[in-house]
Amino acid sequence: MIQPAFPLDRELIAGFCRQRGIRRLRLFGSALRSDFRPGTSDVDVFAEFDPQSLRDSGWDFYLYGEQLGKLLGMRVDFCTHLRPWLQDRVAAESVVVYEAAP
């Protein structure tokens, strides 16, 4: 199994996700490869939300990437939609770091 290229506190991530209605959070890109460089590389994340949670998020939604970046101590590229050509690649090359219980 692929592991993140940096230490990750999954309980902290789980709390972040539960508070915001994120049902699944995946890492992808350089954060999972040997070319990841702390301090210069960003962390690519793909968030899937419980649809009801976004109804009440308002403008706070636009801060989620910055807030997650503060928790991780690095810059985050926070994605919620992927272009069609990227969907299969992210599905194959990502690591789920949080998934809500069904």
Side-chain angles (χ1 to χ4, degrees):
M1 176 183 217
I2 301 171
Q3 293 296 319
F6 57 92
L8 188 65
D9 184 337
R10 290 181 186 256
E11 286 302 314
L12 192 62
I13 299 298
F16 173 86
C17 292
R18 282 191 296 267
Q19 289 175 343
R20 290 158 183 82
I22 297 171
R23 61 183 167 123
R24 183 179 301 127
L25 188 72
R26 301 174 188 224
L27 298 182
F28 67 98
S30 67
L32 304 175
R33 299 189 311 252
S34 62
D35 62 331
F36 181 79
R37 300 290 176 254
T40 58
S41 296
D42 66 356
V43 177
D44 298 306
V45 301
F46 178 60
E48 298 171 59
F49 285 83
D50 173 5
Q52 297 294 80
S53 67
L54 292 178
R55 290 178 13 163
D56 298 325
S57 66
W59 290 103
D60 290 340
F61 170 82
Y62 295 100
L63 300 174
Y64 290 173
E66 184 179 327
Q67 292 166 352
L68 183 57
K70 286 181 182 178
L71 288 178
L72 297 176
M74 53 194 86
R75 195 174 66 245
V76 167
D77 186 4
F78 191 84
C79 304
T80 57
H81 297 315
L82 298 170
R83 299 205 183 264
W85 60 268
L86 190 55
Q87 291 173 358
D88 290 341
R89 183 174 179 185
V90 169
E93 299 176 9
S94 65
V95 171
V96 176
V97 293
Y98 173 77
E99 189 158 20

